[in-house]
Amino acid sequence: MPGGLLLMVQRAPVAVVALTGEIDLANCPELEVVVARLAADPGIERVIVDLTSVGFLAACGVRCLVGLRMRLAAKGHTLQLVVSPDAGPVRRVLALIDGFDIADSLVEAGAVG
C-alpha cells in the first residue's frame, strides 16, 4: 500500500494496524478496507491503529480515522490510536478531535506485554 501499511494481528481479540509514512488520499481507501475486514472477524473486539511512525496526517486521513471509529463502534468494536508524545503535528491534530482513545505506546494500549 502507498504510505507503507503493515497489518499485524498480534492476538485476538486485539488487532494492530501499524502505519508508516503519510496518511493521505492515496492510502485512506486501503486503510478503510483493511479495518473493515478486521471488523468483520468475529474474533476481533478491538482495533489499535499505531501511528507512531506516521509523519503526516492529511485532513482526509483524519476523516478516515473518524469514520473508522464510527463504523467499528456500530459493530461493537473499539478503535484506539497509538501516537507517540513526540509526534508533534499528528498528535496535536488528533487531540483536537473528541472521542479518540489515544495511547502513547503499544504497551500502554495493552497490545504488547
Side-chain angles (χ1 to χ4, degrees), residues 8-16 45-50 78-83 101-113:
M8 111 183 113
V9 178
Q10 293 185 326
R11 68 188 191 285
V14 178
V16 177
E45 295 172 5
R46 183 164 61 113
V47 175
I48 297 172
V49 176
D50 181 1
T78 60
L79 174 69
Q80 185 173 28
L81 304 179
V82 175
V83 184
D101 179 4
I102 301 174
D104 293 342
S105 67
L106 286 171
V107 171
E108 182 182 312
V112 294

Side-chain angles (χ1 to χ4, degrees), residues 1-6 17 19-35 51 54 56-58 60-62 64 68:
M1 168 181 174
L5 176 68
L6 167 68
V17 179
L19 302 167
T20 59
E22 301 180 355
I23 301 176
D24 55 24
L25 194 57
N27 55 25
C28 282
E30 183 66 22
L31 176 59
E32 290 173 339
V33 167
V34 168
V35 174
L51 302 171
V54 170
F56 176 75
L57 180 62
C60 63
V62 173
C64 176
L68 290 173

Side-chain angles (χ1 to χ4, degrees), residues 35-36 38-39 47 67-79:
V35 174
L38 288 172
V47 175
L68 290 173
R69 183 187 66 204
M70 291 171 30
R71 277 185 235 124
L72 286 168
K75 294 185 177 278
H77 304 303
T78 60
L79 174 69

